Amino acid sequence: MSLFDKISAAGASGNVLGRADGAIRSGASSIGEQVGSLAGGGKLASAVSQAGATMGGQAVSRAVNSHIPPGMRGAINSGAEAASQIAGGDVEGGILTALESGLAGDTLGNLLGGQASQGRYWSGANMLYGGITPSEAKRIYQEAIGPGRAKKNLFLLKAQSALAGDFSHEFNLFCTDIDRGPSEVSGGKVRSGSAQLDTLTQAEPVVLRITTMDDRAGTLKRWFEAHIAAVAAQDGSFGVPADYAIVFTIQHAFVGEASAFTGRVLCRAQSYEVGLSRREDAMEELQMTFTQLDTFMSP
């Protein structure tokens, strides 16, 4: 039912102007409440509600002999239609209805005029955004920042071996960088006529490089040399993997969460380097290199 129909029903008996005023304001209030509910109580919903109530008051003040002229009737119905469109989620359609109906000079049109210019801005192609609309640029930005990206400085390193037990605390305390060679399968190409055939040869072992600091007692250097001695003893014999194997577990990005990517590799100590210099006052760093044991063995 339009606002004019409410006014007509109210004018059947009694004080027509008073009832018309109440009907218009009641209709505007109900529209405003609907808009406020659906639009989340935003500024646009508040503006429409206030404009509707003001427009209703103007209509009553201009009514002569309980008669509302057709032009005023059209203005009231157009305002109600615009507010209903906005309440239904068609914000741009409601703004255009208000402007096209000649309300640009009235309260509703003035309040929605700014919203119309904002609507044209957000829906118009803009060269500052590469020829797309600001709305599309905002959507792309939200999509870009939405996924939680992994951070390279957030990781958890665990080191365990039969020789030294769990040494994870010391490694995490001093570790600064980790470089892990990706799993690699090597192969070659064989020509067959005009085609090239891919021939696989072997799966390359994983190489793990860890950069750490150390304490004054040389705890990590002693740990590494103990594992080197377990691999190759001074008497010329080699040890068995059960004695010198080391299990490294690297948890990426989200420390302590089950959703984090976790990589485990079974290694042996290969070499380490230390760089000392009296030219600068800096922390001592160890460059440790570990190589994967038999690739068919899982940690």
Side-chain angles (χ1 to χ4, degrees), residues 60-279:
V60 174
S61 65
R62 282 183 254 175
V64 179
N65 296 325
S66 302
H67 172 73
I68 298 179
M72 181 58 64
R73 181 193 317 166
I76 294 174
N77 288 331
S78 296
E81 180 182 356
S84 298
Q85 285 179 286
I86 295 171
D90 185 10
V91 179
E92 293 184 2
I95 293 173
L96 292 176
T97 298
L99 295 178
E100 291 174 357
S101 62
L103 294 176
D106 292 336
T107 304
L108 183 60
N110 291 333
L111 289 172
L112 293 181
Q115 298 296 333
S117 64
Q118 287 292 321
R120 286 191 295 269
Y121 166 75
W122 285 103
S123 60
N126 194 321
M127 294 305 298
L128 294 178
Y129 295 103
I132 63 176
T133 66
S135 296
E136 181 68 10
K138 182 179 180 181
R139 185 194 64 78
I140 295 174
Y141 173 73
Q142 293 294 340
E143 183 178 352
I145 66 174
R149 288 175 168 76
K151 300 188 65 175
K152 65 186 300 183
N153 65 337
L154 187 60
F155 60 86
L156 179 65
L157 176 63
K158 297 180 180 179
Q160 295 176 315
S161 66
L163 182 63
D166 189 350
F167 227 68
S168 303
H169 175 73
E170 287 74 8
F171 267 91
N172 274 306
L173 183 63
F174 294 111
C175 182
T176 58
D177 299 278
I178 297 177
D179 293 315
R180 183 181 184 271
S183 301
E184 179 182 350
V185 178
S186 59
K189 303 298 180 182
V190 178
R191 178 176 296 179
S192 176
S194 62
Q196 295 287 336
L197 302 180
D198 183 32
T199 59
L200 303 179
T201 56
Q202 64 181 356
E204 301 294 338
V206 174
V207 177
L208 186 65
R209 297 180 181 87
I210 300 177
T211 302
T212 72
M213 297 178 290
D214 202 0
D215 57 15
R216 294 180 179 179
T219 301
L220 290 183
K221 287 189 285 290
R222 295 175 188 274
W223 177 91
F224 197 96
E225 290 183 353
H227 284 80
I228 288 291
V231 174
Q234 291 183 350
D235 59 5
S237 62
F238 292 103
V240 294
D243 294 334
Y244 58 74
I246 309 167
V247 178
F248 285 104
T249 304
I250 305 173
Q251 192 172 9
H252 299 244
F254 299 98
V255 175
E257 295 187 10
S259 61
F261 175 80
T262 302
R264 303 186 70 203
V265 59
L266 184 64
C267 297
R268 65 168 174 84
Q270 179 173 323
S271 64
Y272 83 95
E273 297 178 0
V274 180
L276 302 177
S277 175
R278 289 179 175 174
R279 291 177 295 179

